[in-house]
Amino acid sequence: MPEPYRVVSMLIEAIQGDITGLEVDAVVNAANSALAGGGGVDGAIHAAAGRYELHAACAAIGHCDSGDAVATSGFRLPARWIIHTVGPVWHGGNHGEEGTLASCYRRSIEVATELGARSVAFPAISTGVYGYPPDAAARVAVNTLRSLAGTAVVDTALLVAFDARTLSIYRELLGEG
Ligand code: ADP
């Protein structure tokens, strides 16, 4: 068997906008462990993809642990796939939050690699209702993605900020500040 195709580097870019409109191979959803749909980016993705179809696909999978990731079709999104990952709820930072958040990025890239997705867009996982401080979360996102460069078929990881503050945090960490 030939070795699967590997790229040697992964471009990590920060942009501001609505993740549901992006023309990427896969968008990551900040889901809950019941994959039941919710507010925030989860609600936006369900609305744009098609609530009925996405709900049925999520119900067929049933559950996802914190720090893990599962994939469905993107249905009516421009993206071909949705990778649902479950971030940690922030409880002050001494409850394994950082490891779980890093695992979300790592597992999402692993699932993207299994799918053959070359471009993947991430929302700022856990920084909404789950309460993770945005700058600490951004550091975990950038460091984890950097550590995965060269291990995945993913050649472009987009960090999608919904607000200007999150964008400036990403830009500073990526050396674009
Ligand atoms: P969590 O429950 O993991 O905290 P939320 O959806 O509440 O997830 O928030 C995660 C992040 O997604 C927040 O920074 C929020 O501003 C952002 N967000 C909300 N809607 C969108 C969207 N349509 N596109 C990109 N990011 C979004």
Side-chain angles (χ1 to χ4, degrees), residues 100-119:
T100 304
L101 187 60
S103 177
C104 288
Y105 285 91
R106 191 167 48 246
R107 284 291 302 133
S108 295
I109 291 289
E110 284 171 5
V111 169
T113 298
E114 285 160 18
L115 294 167
R118 305 276 299 271
S119 53

Side-chain angles (χ1 to χ4, degrees), residues 17-20 30 39-42 44 123-131 160 162-163:
D18 179 351
I19 203 167
T20 63
V41 71
D42 195 5
I125 300 161
S126 282
T127 66
V129 172
Y130 282 7
V160 183
F162 204 47
D163 54 88

